[in-house]
Amino acid sequence: GARRLFGLLVQSFNEENVPMDNFVGFASDGCNTMFGTNNSVASRLQESYKGVIVNKCRCHSLHLCASEACKELPRCIEDLARNIYGIFKNSSKRQAEYAEFQEFYHTDPHKILRPSQTRWLSLQSVVNRILEQWDHLKAYFQLKVLDARVIAATNVLNYMNDPTTKQYYHFLQWALPRFVDLNELFQSDRPLITIVHKKMCAAYKHLILAFMDRAHVKRTPLDQINPLDTSKHIPLSNIYLGVKVLKGFSEPPISNHPDKVNMEKCFRDRCKAFLVKGCTEMRQRFDFNSNSPFARMACLSPAEAMSRTKEPTLLHLIETVPRICDPNDLDRVQQLDDQWQLLDKREFTDGMKEMEVDDFWITVRDYTDLDGKQIFKELDTFALHVLSLPHSNAACERCFSKINLIKTKIRNRMMTETLNGLLLASHCAKDGGGSDKFVVTQAMLAAMTAENLKPKKKPPAERPRGIADLDVVEEVDVDEVLMEEEFDVTFG
């Protein structure tokens, strides 16, 4: 398990002559093999390479938070989405009939989406699509119940006739973006390490303010707020669940329902449980302490670095990343501090505060004194090494998705070398602006030789006589084993 993966990880770097002294960061999903407390890949990395920054994938964690929170809502909400998709999935006739409904109602001919457990951003899209097509879907299923008496259509119509069902979807339409927008942001390939803590704190605070006392939230550090502390919760009737929910309870058919009070109380109880569970899961998975490693890295953002009220020393950040800069090397630490304090005293061009953080530090590197000497060279190198730390492993996820598109059931005998070549060709074409803009260089053409394309394999060495089968060590294909796991590593 973890021991074998750890050994193969180190072996692959050694084979490529990558010095392990440059190993500064590691990110993967949060399964026990990769991030368990004992005997995991992350624990072995921390034990073998002191000071390495290990980080659970933010995208995986946010998806799990949203999934766990959704379990607090009635099961019929998820069943409705699945049943609607199931009715249309394998029936071209029903799809054509529904297309006529969409044309009659003068709406866009959008397809019904499928809820997926593995696609991080699917749930919000499914909710938005069902709400967009709500009236048309309801009219269609009413017709199917009257004409064809389809049992599945009857079940769907019963769900849709429940006045609180649409209210739950309106609530999800407000609540899910707190998770999904962050998830989408952290899937970016851009260095986001300086804004991770700020964005997570903002989303967490937005959710807890919906059901907790505002004065308590404002005067208490986020890492000390307990979402399960009911003494700090506001009355159930004052919980904020979105404008559409508030309006829905003041209009028919709910406003004139004979059991409106109990219906609204039950609805608010479920939605509050969603919010409490979501915040509890976020609190378990993220460190909201203002002295956490990612909070300290925020000082490298352009606005903070150029601020005259910034922290005067980088010592606390350097102690967080000892593999990038040894905090015991006081001469180097002092050199970095001197350049850091000089940074806000320089006159930079307008708009640098709005630059991407990596572009900002690359621009800072080019500043020179009267002698033409780079005055921020060491500080720039340190900052760029910190920015290389991974905030998620979404890039690996995209790679695995691409592998599934390339190595299909029909091409299941494709060799690892061929698969690697196709992946590299795809990345190269993407970096070149796309296949239509890609420029083939002479070096690429020169490499297209039979010796490179079809290298001759060395004949296997004969095994000496007298060696038992149990003494033969099986050769392991490192690439194939590593492709089974999902993680991202960073080197300075």
Side-chain angles (χ1 to χ4, degrees):
R3 180 177 63 180
R4 184 164 178 258
L5 280 173
F6 172 76
L8 292 172
L9 178 65
V10 176
Q11 176 187 337
S12 64
F13 295 141
N14 291 335
E15 290 176 352
E16 298 295 332
N17 297 321
V18 177
M20 297 304 293
D21 289 340
N22 291 352
F23 192 101
V24 296
F26 174 84
S28 78
D29 57 11
C31 66
N32 285 333
T33 302
M34 305 304 294
F35 258 92
T37 305
N38 301 313
N39 194 28
S40 64
V41 175
S43 65
R44 289 176 179 275
L45 285 172
Q46 290 178 312
E47 181 181 352
S48 302
Y49 307 102
K50 301 296 183 181
V52 66
I53 301 294
V54 295
N55 178 29
K56 291 182 181 180
C57 176
R58 291 294 190 275
C59 299
H60 277 94
S61 298
L62 284 167
H63 175 70
L64 292 175
C65 291
S67 297
E68 291 298 318
C70 286
K71 293 179 182 179
E72 301 297 325
L73 300 180
R75 178 63 185 269
C76 64
I77 304 304
E78 181 181 356
D79 291 342
L80 174 61
R82 296 189 182 280
N83 291 342
I84 290 176
Y85 175 80
I87 288 175
F88 292 104
K89 178 178 66 173
N90 296 321
S91 177
S92 300
K93 177 182 177 182
R94 291 172 184 168
Q95 293 177 22
E97 291 174 347
Y98 185 63
E100 294 179 1
F101 269 79
Q102 291 176 318
E103 183 177 356
F104 176 79
Y105 281 99
H106 303 288
T107 186
D108 296 330
H110 292 158
K111 293 184 177 181
I112 302 301
L113 302 179
R114 174 189 178 185
S116 174
Q117 291 292 334
T118 56
R119 295 188 179 275
W120 293 332
L121 306 180
S122 67
L123 187 56
Q124 182 182 5
S125 302
V126 171
V127 169
N128 291 337
R129 183 59 52 85
I130 290 179
L131 286 175
E132 175 193 87
Q133 305 282 328
W134 187 273
D135 294 334
H136 321 143
L137 287 169
K138 193 172 181 179
Y140 173 79
F141 288 119
Q142 287 174 341
L143 179 64
K144 299 302 291 184
V145 169
L146 293 175
D147 290 352
R149 296 185 179 181
V150 180
I151 297 178
T154 303
N155 294 334
V156 169
L157 186 60
N158 289 337
Y159 286 147
M160 300 187 77
N161 284 333
D162 185 338
T164 60
T165 301
K166 191 174 183 179
Q167 289 291 84
Y168 278 116
Y169 275 87
H170 279 150
F171 167 71
L172 287 174
Q173 193 178 38
W174 169 79
L176 286 178
R178 310 294 168 263
F179 303 95
V180 175
D181 290 350
L182 275 182
N183 195 320
E184 188 174 2
L185 172 66
F186 293 147
Q187 290 186 41
S188 172
D189 290 332
R190 298 185 292 109
L192 303 175
I193 207 73
T194 58
I195 64 172
V196 166
H197 186 265
K198 178 182 177 181
K199 292 293 185 180
M200 289 301 309
C201 287
Y204 181 68
K205 191 172 184 179
H206 195 165
L207 287 173
I208 60 176
L209 282 173
F211 65 94
M212 296 194 74
D213 179 65
R214 185 173 294 271
H216 171 69
V217 173
K218 288 187 175 182
R219 68 171 178 263
T220 308
L222 280 182
D223 61 305
Q224 298 179 18
I225 296 177
N226 183 7
L228 299 176
D229 185 2
T230 56
S231 64
K232 305 300 181 183
H233 291 185
I234 60 179
L236 196 63
S237 58
N238 295 339
I239 293 177
Y240 185 79
L241 304 175
V243 174
K244 292 183 179 179
V245 172
L246 296 176
K247 188 175 180 180
F249 277 104
S250 61
E251 296 179 349
I254 297 181
S255 61
N256 53 14
H257 195 278
D259 197 22
K260 176 181 180 295
V261 176
N262 291 332
M263 181 186 295
E264 184 174 357
K265 181 180 182 302
C266 180
F267 174 85
R268 287 183 172 274
D269 278 331
R270 288 300 189 102
C271 292
K272 177 182 177 181
F274 175 99
L275 295 171
V276 172
K277 186 66 173 179
C279 291
T280 303
E281 293 293 323
M282 292 178 70
R283 188 168 182 250
Q284 292 176 353
R285 288 178 166 84
F286 305 107
D287 187 359
F288 293 104
N289 192 300
S290 57
N291 292 321
S292 66
F294 291 100
R296 291 177 174 178
M297 295 174 192
C299 68
L300 296 180
S301 64
E304 181 68 20
M306 298 174 65
S307 173
R308 298 186 183 277
T309 59
K310 65 184 180 182
E311 189 174 356
T313 179
L314 289 175
L315 180 60
H316 300 306
L317 175 58
I318 294 172
E319 291 174 344
T320 304
V321 288
R323 297 187 66 82
I324 295 178
C325 178
D326 184 2
N328 296 321
D329 187 355
L330 299 183
D331 291 336
R332 186 182 177 191
V333 173
Q334 186 62 62
Q335 185 182 36
L336 292 175
D337 261 4
D338 291 341
Q339 295 181 11
W340 174 252
Q341 295 169 9
L342 180 63
L343 188 63
D344 61 282
K345 298 178 178 61
R346 299 287 298 183
E347 294 294 333
F348 292 102
T349 58
D350 295 336
M352 285 192 65
K353 289 185 178 181
E354 286 73 33
M355 293 177 65
E356 296 292 345
V357 62
D358 52 340
D359 294 335
F360 169 79
W361 286 105
I362 291 174
T363 305
V364 168
R365 180 179 56 191
D366 297 331
Y367 274 77
T368 59
D369 57 13
L370 297 177
D371 298 331
K373 181 181 178 181
Q374 293 178 322
I375 55 179
F376 300 113
K377 181 179 179 180
E378 289 74 19
L379 177 61
D380 171 79
T381 302
F382 171 79
L384 291 177
H385 285 176
V386 173
L387 295 180
S388 69
L389 291 169
H391 58 271
S392 75
N393 66 333
C396 297
E397 293 286 352
R398 279 191 286 269
C399 184
F400 286 114
S401 298
K402 191 172 293 186
I403 288 174
N404 291 332
L405 294 175
I406 296 175
K407 192 171 183 177
T408 60
K409 293 182 179 180
I410 300 176
R411 309 171 74 184
N412 60 358
R413 298 185 64 184
M414 180 182 294
M415 298 179 64
T416 303
E417 292 80 3
T418 305
L419 181 59
N420 285 338
L422 292 173
L423 289 172
L424 290 172
S426 175
H427 282 293
C428 188
K430 180 180 178 181
D431 293 340
S435 56
D436 56 330
K437 299 179 181 179
F438 182 75
V439 178
V440 180
T441 64
Q442 290 297 324
M444 295 178 184
L445 294 175
M448 298 293 105
T449 62
E451 182 179 356
N452 291 334
L453 297 176
K454 295 183 178 181
K456 295 182 179 179
K457 295 184 178 180
K458 297 181 180 180
E462 295 184 3
R463 190 170 62 184
R465 296 181 180 180
I467 298 180
D469 292 340
L470 293 177
D471 294 332
V472 179
V473 180
E474 181 183 358
E475 294 184 357
V476 179
D477 189 332
V478 176
D479 292 335
E480 291 184 356
V481 175
L482 292 182
M483 283 183 180
E484 296 176 0
E485 288 296 334
E486 306 167 359
F487 52 83
D488 188 15
V489 294
T490 302
F491 291 85

